[in-house]
Amino acid sequence: MNFQLDAMSTLFLTVLCLLLGIYLKKRISFFERFCIPAPVVGGFLISILIWILKSTDVATFQFDTSLQSFLMVAFFTTVGIDGSFRVLKSGGKLLFIYLGICWFLAIFQNTFGAGLAMALGVDPVMGVMAGAVSLTGGHGGAAAFGTMAEELGHQSMLVAAIASATFGLIAGSILGGPVASFLIKRHNVKIEAVGNGENLPGAPETLTNAVKAVDVNSFLKMLAVILGVMVVGRWASEEFTAMTGFSLPSYVGAMLIAIIVRNVNDYFTVVKVHQKSIDLVSGVSLGLFLTMAMMSLKIWELSEVALPLLTILVLQTIAILVFTIFIVFRLLGKNYDAAVMCAGLLGHGLGATPNAMANMTSVCDRYKMVSTRALMIVPISGAVLIDLVSIPYHTWLINYFS
C-alpha cells in the first residue's frame, strides 16, 4: 500500500509529529535530561515507524516536502534579524575562535575520511563523501558534490553522500544536547551567559509565553518584514549565482539580507522590532522544518551502506566527540556559552545548521538561560563563513583523487 501525501497533508502530519515530540519530552525524563530536541523525538520516531512498515511491505509513504525549504528560509531570516552588530561585537574574539574551529573541522573531516577510505581499500572519494561534504554540508552539499564526483567517474558517490548526510543528521541531533549537559555537569559550569542575564521565559517548544506576549498587529508587522527579506534574499541568491556561477543557498542570502536590514533599522529605527513575534516565527519555523526533515528521512538508506562507509562515519563521529569534549570546550572558555556552542558544533558538524540551532535551543530550555552569543556565532560561522574554506577544499580534494 502506497500513501502519497500532498503538501497540506505532509504539513498536518508534521504538526502532529512535533506535538508528539513535545508530549513525549515532557513525559519521558530521558529526553529532557539529555536535551534531545522535541522535533527529533517526534520526527525520528515516525521515520523509524515508516522504515518498519516499508521493510515489512505493509506500506510506503511519499511526502511532499516543498514547504520544508520555505520553513528553513523563514527560520534563517529570523536568525539574521537577530544579528545586530551590537550583539556580534559582544562575541569578540570568541567569534574568530569558533570560526577557526569550523575551518579546521572542515579540513580535518575530508582529510580523515579520505585517509580512512584508503586504509580500508576503497575509493578515497567515498571518504570525502563521508567527510565534510555531507557532515558539515548536509544533504545539500551531499547532493551537489555527490553528483560532481559521479560526473568525474566515481561510481555510487551520490548514494554514499546522501546516506552519510542522513547518518550525520541523526547523530548530530542525538549527541549535541547530551554532550552539552555532560560538560556542564562534569565541569560544574555556572549557568550564566556572558553579556546576557536574561532567563528563558519558557520552553521554546511550547511557545506558550511567547504567544501570550504577541498581539496581531505586532505579529503581522514582523511577518511582513520577514517575508519581504525572504523575497529579497531569494533574488540576491539567484543574482549572485548568475554572476559568479557559485551556488549560494537561498537561506544564506535571506540571512545576510536580514542582517543588513536589522542593522540599518537599528540606526534609523524605521520599524520597531517586536522580539516576541520574531521568536514565535523562529520557534515555529525551526520546529516544523526539523520535524519534517526527520520524519521524511529514508533510514533504510543507512542499512544499504557498505561496511567501509559505515566504519568511516562511526570513526568520524568518535573523532568529533573527542575533539569537542577535550579541545573545543576549553578553547571556547569552559563556561555555559562554550557548552551551548559545543552542542551547536555537533549539530552542524555532523548534520546541518538547523540541527545546531535545535540542539542549542534545547540546552537553553533545559537550563532556563539563553546564550545569545552562541545563538548568533554558531549559525553565522557554521552556515555561511565555513564555506569560505570548505567548498574550495571539497572541490580540490575530489579533483585530486580523480
Side-chain angles (χ1 to χ4, degrees):
M1 187 178 299
N2 181 39
F3 294 94
Q4 292 184 324
L5 280 69
D6 59 16
M8 186 178 296
S9 301
T10 300
L11 181 61
F12 173 62
L13 182 59
T14 300
V15 173
L16 292 182
C17 287
L18 181 54
L19 290 173
L20 173 64
I22 293 170
Y23 174 82
L24 291 176
K25 187 171 180 180
K26 287 181 178 179
R27 295 293 185 274
I28 302 175
S29 60
F30 170 83
F31 296 130
E32 179 68 26
R33 185 182 309 116
F34 292 100
C35 306
I36 306 298
V40 175
V41 176
F44 189 43
L45 287 177
I46 296 302
S47 67
I48 292 176
L49 176 61
I50 291 173
W51 178 31
I52 294 172
L53 293 175
K54 176 182 171 60
S55 300
T56 55
D57 294 323
V58 174
T60 59
F61 290 82
Q62 292 181 317
F63 298 113
D64 181 347
T65 58
S66 55
L67 288 175
Q68 188 172 319
S69 176
F70 172 83
L71 292 166
M72 178 178 65
V73 175
F75 167 69
F76 279 105
T77 300
T78 64
V79 171
I81 290 176
D82 284 338
S84 171
F85 287 151
R86 298 169 186 170
V87 176
L88 289 177
K89 187 177 180 181
S90 70
K93 183 173 65 174
L94 192 63
L95 172 62
F96 295 98
I97 293 175
Y98 189 81
L99 180 57
I101 290 169
C102 290
W103 286 344
F104 170 81
L105 184 64
I107 294 172
F108 171 80
Q109 285 180 325
N110 276 349
T111 307
F112 185 54
L116 288 173
M118 288 188 287
L120 293 169
V122 298
D123 187 347
V125 174
M126 178 180 285
V128 179
M129 295 300 106
V133 163
S134 58
L135 298 183
T136 62
H139 284 84
F145 287 97
T147 301
M148 172 188 170
E150 291 192 349
E151 290 174 350
L152 291 173
H154 302 274
Q155 300 298 318
S156 304
M157 289 301 108
L158 180 58
V159 172
I162 294 295
S164 298
T166 303
F167 177 95
L169 194 67
I170 296 169
S173 296
I174 293 175
L175 294 174
V179 167
S181 183
F182 165 78
L183 290 171
I184 289 171
K185 293 175 181 176
R186 179 75 172 80
H187 296 277
N188 294 317
V189 173
K190 186 176 181 181
I191 307 303
E192 63 178 7
V194 177
N196 178 57
E198 181 184 0
N199 287 333
L200 193 66
E205 296 95 334
T206 64
L207 300 173
T208 303
N209 293 327
V211 171
K212 291 180 180 178
V214 174
D215 61 82
V216 174
N217 187 50
S218 60
F219 179 78
L220 287 176
K221 287 181 179 179
M222 291 299 97
L223 183 61
V225 172
I226 291 169
L227 292 173
V229 169
M230 290 171 65
V231 171
V232 176
R234 181 177 64 179
W235 171 83
S237 295
E238 292 172 351
E239 287 297 309
F240 180 84
T241 300
M243 289 188 296
T244 65
F246 178 83
S247 180
L248 184 69
S250 57
Y251 71 85
V252 174
M255 186 167 69
L256 293 176
I257 295 297
I259 291 173
I260 294 171
V261 169
R262 172 57 188 269
N263 286 280
V264 169
N265 189 70
D266 282 350
Y267 187 80
F268 294 104
T269 317
V270 178
V271 178
K272 184 177 180 180
V273 176
H274 192 268
Q275 193 58 45
K276 290 293 184 181
S277 297
I278 298 294
D279 292 343
L280 179 57
V281 176
S282 177
V284 171
S285 57
L286 174 60
L288 292 177
F289 163 73
L290 190 55
T291 303
M292 190 177 293
M294 294 301 295
M295 77 178 196
S296 58
L297 285 175
K298 297 178 180 179
I299 299 180
W300 53 88
E301 290 180 349
L302 294 180
S303 64
E304 299 169 359
V305 174
L307 183 60
L309 181 59
L310 186 59
T311 300
I312 294 171
L313 291 171
V314 170
L315 292 175
Q316 289 275 25
T317 303
I318 294 173
I320 192 174
L321 279 172
V322 172
F323 178 57
T324 301
I325 293 172
F326 294 103
I327 298 176
V328 174
F329 182 63
R330 297 177 186 278
L331 288 176
L332 295 177
K334 295 179 63 176
N335 55 20
Y336 178 69
D337 287 326
V340 176
M341 292 175 76
C342 284
L345 181 68
L346 288 170
H348 74 76
L350 287 171
T353 307
N355 297 77
M357 298 303 292
N359 286 349
M360 293 190 295
T361 300
S362 185
V363 174
C364 292
D365 172 36
R366 168 71 174 81
Y367 293 100
K368 299 296 183 291
M369 176 64 68
V370 175
S371 174
T372 304
R373 296 207 299 174
L375 292 172
M376 279 307 309
I377 290 172
V378 170
I380 289 176
S381 300
V384 182
L385 299 179
I386 189 175
D387 287 342
L388 297 175
V389 168
S390 64
I391 289 180
Y393 190 58
H394 298 339
T395 306
W396 178 82
L397 207 54
I398 293 171
N399 280 277
Y400 177 79
F401 289 117
S402 298

